[in-house]
Amino acid sequence: MNTLFDIQENRKARKAERTRVDILEAAARAFARNTRATMQDIAAEAGYTVPSLYAYFRSKEEITQGLNDLVNREMMSAFDLPYPDSLTFAQKLELLLRHSLEFVDRRRDTFAVLMQQMSDIASEEADQPLSRFSLAHLRVADWMRVHTTPADLGGRAPEDVALLLMGVFQTFFIHWLSLDRPPSLTDRASLMVDLLLHGASGPHRDFHHSP
Amino acid sequence: MNTLFDIQENRKARKAERTRVDILEAAARAFARNTRATMQDIAAEAGYTVPSLYAYFRSKEEITQGLNDLVNREMMSAFDLPYPDSLTFAQKLELLLRHSLEFVDRRRDTFAVLMQQMSDIASEEADQPLSRFSLAHLRVADWMRVHTTPADLGGRAPEDVALLLMGVFQTFFIHWLSLDRPPSLTDRASLMVDLLLHGASGPHRDFHHSP
Amino acid sequence: MNTLFDIQENRKARKAERTRVDILEAAARAFARNTRATMQDIAAEAGYTVPSLYAYFRSKEEITQGLNDLVNREMMSAFDLPYPDSLTFAQKLELLLRHSLEFVDRRRDTFAVLMQQMSDIASEEADQPLSRFSLAHLRVADWMRVHTTPADLGGRAPEDVALLLMGVFQTFFIHWLSLDRPPSLTDRASLMVDLLLHGASGPHRDFHHSP
Amino acid sequence: MNTLFDIQENRKARKAERTRVDILEAAARAFARNTRATMQDIAAEAGYTVPSLYAYFRSKEEITQGLNDLVNREMMSAFDLPYPDSLTFAQKLELLLRHSLEFVDRRRDTFAVLMQQMSDIASEEADQPLSRFSLAHLRVADWMRVHTTPADLGGRAPEDVALLLMGVFQTFFIHWLSLDRPPSLTDRASLMVDLLLHGASGPHRDFHHSP
DNA sequence: CATGAATGAGCATTCATTCAT
DNA sequence: AATGAATGAATGCTCATTCAT
């Protein structure tokens, strides 16, 4: 049975958790603005003084880690959604992109951090056997293997097509970030799917598929 | 008329310029190994002591800038090569990629630095109106405009196809960097062209109608 | 006349005083475990939160001071006990030691703090004219002057013999602290008296003339 | 053969070594004045700024360690000197004390640090199996075992007499430190030997040894 | 031209202390 | 009376930069 004490404890815990997330989001803004953001920067962005951050995180490392986990979880969750076999590859691809891009639209700064880390070749953490890029690459290739037929990929290795997908995603994202008043990135999903499926040459309208 | 003095001056200047490039290349190696490379790291890699670097560059900032310019010039030079109109878009594209990838194969570390900066959204210098990414994007889109017909791009905006090209280039490069014993990246040019032109679906072999 | 109010006030005051001592003893344990003990450490040892300590002491300094006073009072009280003239110097000495060592046995941690401060030459407080060591030295020398005859001290200055006493006490104590499963230190009193009185050579058994 | 280069290198190395020792001695003064001396304090005492210290020592830990080693080496060297069997215990003891006290007279501050650490029960370094005190105790007891006969110690355990010696040494030293214009401590050697050998009661002049 | 020596500015982290509740 | 939350003031340490030699 819940006593008053329990309820109060619960409320406190919830508030603390909220603060933790607030700080992580502030950290995302700070890192998006400056890759070398200091604890000072993060604190300023969060509206706290530096020592206060240490009441919620043991170290800067833990903040960065927390931010990574947050981003990773959101990003990876798109891959775990159901993609019914009844859908075509194009439809599945559009669905995957829309799921991901919705996150991006909502958490612009957070994803900026993720993308930056994607390009960090030397994994900062020596104990990490694989770089963030490699992990993502494996995950995308796996998704390809599960949700496509060899024909979908024109007989190419899923790994290669995964690189194509990641590349398009990344450049569209960075370009979008550079815009002053960015429109919804989700609206670009159709174009991205088109480019991913048919490349620069575009769909072959002049062949038997056209009416 | 050239006096002896002039000649000596000239020789000196040339030697100094050589040293400058040596240092920049050392910096590239240092940065490739560790994003946070210090002046100490760069000096060690260059075989000098730290204060010596200041005889050739006014600041660390100037070294980074110099490295950027070096890399940029090399990268951009591929766009200034001749691409005869007699070539198809596919051929021009393969040529462009091969030119660029040769540089990459030769200067692995230097390009690692470039790619990292590509993802740095916030332009390090506030006085820079455009980020490195945007500059590259403009340059690629321009090339597209000059060397393609609307049909080549399936009627799409050159800017969008430029993003596709940059994305493929970047992910293939980073993936290649992550390999332990990387093969020549130039050998992947055909695959990249294929992906760029026809996308994930592959060249339109027309499954239903082929014999 | 005592009103109900007075009685309640009194009870409160007594309880507060008890808590003060509890905290001081917790502080002793904390300091014994770690010279650099923080307020956090002390609070944890006392079973309070940090701000609660400030309800009983104005500052950490006041806690340390209070701990010192507590220890000092206990230690010095041994000197104020009666030492009848009918006793020999040896007997008085053994009595003094036993009184002191009983405290030590009982309050191991508290005395560890005292001993450490004994060696702190620079008096923590600049306004303290005399170091803790000097105060103790004076007190011991006084005891000597009162309770010994010049013959007892072999004609030496009481100050010098006081140093001998303090030295033996300190080293035996520290050695005892370093033991894993320390026996009662009081049991060592006889040996200490023996060493104090006769030195390394031992009691003058008069080897040549003994039967 | 020594080239000019070698000579210069040698001179540099020697100067650096001198600076290292200078810093260690400054650290000794700083620690003597305040047990919690900071790098700031040490630097001020040494006449450097803090970062300069890091050119000579990798960490504060290394400075403390260096200081300990310095002190230890000097202190322990007295035990390694020759003590001919022809000498009486009293003579050996006086020799041992004079050797040690000469160091003390010369390096007052340095020894203050040593003595303070002697009383630090909890060895700061968790990897140190034995405290500084225990190590010294073992060394002194060993010396006793080698240079005394059981008769010299009145049949007592060398460990116990070692504690006596250490205690006298420590209290005489601390007392000497507390003096404003301290005379040579070496001059007190005879008194210390006397106290060590015969205790508070003093030599037994009234027995057969007296004329 | 090159370097040993030195430092100002800044960084992550800790800690004693305060205050609203 | 007790505490969660917050902070100013250090602390050990790093790094880009300068300068006398």
Side-chain angles (χ1 to χ4, degrees), chain C residues 20-42:
Chain C
R20 280 178 61 94
V21 175
D22 284 352
I23 291 175
L24 289 184
E25 286 177 348
R29 288 192 299 279
F31 280 121
R33 190 180 304 160
N34 173 14
T35 316
R36 312 276 225 253
T38 70
M39 287 294 279
Q40 192 59 245
D41 296 335
I42 298 173

Side-chain angles (χ1 to χ4, degrees), chain A residues 33 35 116 119-121 153-154 156 160 163-164 167-168 170-171 188 191 194 196-202 208, chain B residues 116 119-122 137 152-154 156 160 163-164 167-168 170-171 188 191 194 196-202 206:
Chain A
R33 188 180 304 159
T35 316
Q116 239 144 35
S119 309
D120 253 350
I121 303 100
L153 305 186
R156 297 203 202 70
D160 293 336
L163 288 180
L164 173 66
V168 168
Q170 173 146 354
T171 40
R188 304 262 276 167
L191 173 58
D194 176 30
L196 281 170
L197 286 180
H198 310 109
S201 313
H208 62 286
Chain B
Q116 233 143 41
S119 309
D120 253 351
I121 303 99
H137 184 205
D152 287 334
L153 305 185
R156 300 200 201 72
D160 294 336
L163 288 181
L164 174 67
V168 167
Q170 173 146 356
T171 40
R188 304 263 276 169
L191 173 59
D194 176 28
L196 281 169
L197 285 181
H198 310 107
S201 313
D206 203 338

Side-chain angles (χ1 to χ4, degrees), chain C residues 116 119-122 137 153 156 160 163-164 167-168 170-171 188 191 194 196-202 204 206 209, chain D residues 33 35 116 119-121 153-154 156 160 163-164 167-168 170-171 188 191 194 196-202 208:
Chain C
Q116 233 143 42
S119 310
D120 252 350
I121 303 99
H137 184 206
L153 305 186
R156 299 202 201 70
D160 293 337
L163 289 180
L164 173 66
V168 168
Q170 171 144 355
T171 39
R188 304 263 276 168
L191 173 58
D194 175 28
L196 280 170
L197 285 179
H198 310 108
S201 314
H204 196 72
D206 203 337
H209 293 172
Chain D
R33 188 181 304 159
T35 316
Q116 237 143 35
S119 308
D120 251 351
I121 303 100
L153 306 185
R156 298 202 204 68
D160 293 336
L163 288 181
L164 174 66
V168 168
Q170 174 146 355
T171 39
R188 304 264 274 166
L191 173 58
D194 177 28
L196 280 170
L197 284 181
H198 310 109
S201 315
H208 62 282

Side-chain angles (χ1 to χ4, degrees), chain A residues 43-111:
Chain A
E45 195 74 50
Y48 286 97
T49 59
V50 174
S52 291
L53 303 189
Y54 284 89
Y56 299 92
F57 296 90
R58 266 202 279 270
S59 63
K60 188 187 186 184
E61 167 70 26
E62 203 174 291
I63 293 183
T64 329
Q65 196 53 242
L67 186 53
N68 286 351
D69 292 349
L70 192 73
V71 155
N72 251 0
R73 226 175 304 127
E74 290 208 347
M75 193 55 152
M76 289 309 174
S77 70
F79 291 99
D80 297 326
L81 294 175
Y83 294 91
D85 285 343
S86 58
L87 299 179
T88 65
F89 177 41
Q91 289 171 324
K92 289 177 183 170
L93 205 53
E94 178 145 10
L95 219 51
L96 177 68
L97 279 180
R98 284 188 179 279
H99 283 314
S100 304
L101 294 174
E102 260 167 37
F103 283 136
V104 171
D105 269 331
R106 202 154 14 96
R107 314 259 273 196
R108 183 182 156 101
D109 294 322
T110 317
F111 271 90

Side-chain angles (χ1 to χ4, degrees), chain A residues 169-210:
Chain A
F169 194 96
Q170 173 146 354
T171 40
F172 270 73
F173 175 68
I174 297 184
H175 176 247
W176 175 75
L177 273 184
S178 74
L179 299 177
D180 274 341
R181 308 179 58 251
S184 161
L185 187 52
T186 312
D187 294 347
R188 304 262 276 167
S190 315
L191 173 58
M192 290 168 77
V193 169
D194 176 30
L195 282 171
L196 281 170
L197 286 180
H198 310 109
S201 313
H204 302 265
R205 297 203 200 90
D206 43 355
F207 291 119
H208 62 286
H209 288 299
S210 53

Side-chain angles (χ1 to χ4, degrees), chain C residues 46-61:
Chain C
Y48 286 95
T49 59
V50 175
S52 292
L53 302 189
Y54 283 87
Y56 298 93
F57 297 91
R58 261 204 283 270
S59 65
K60 188 185 187 186
E61 169 65 29

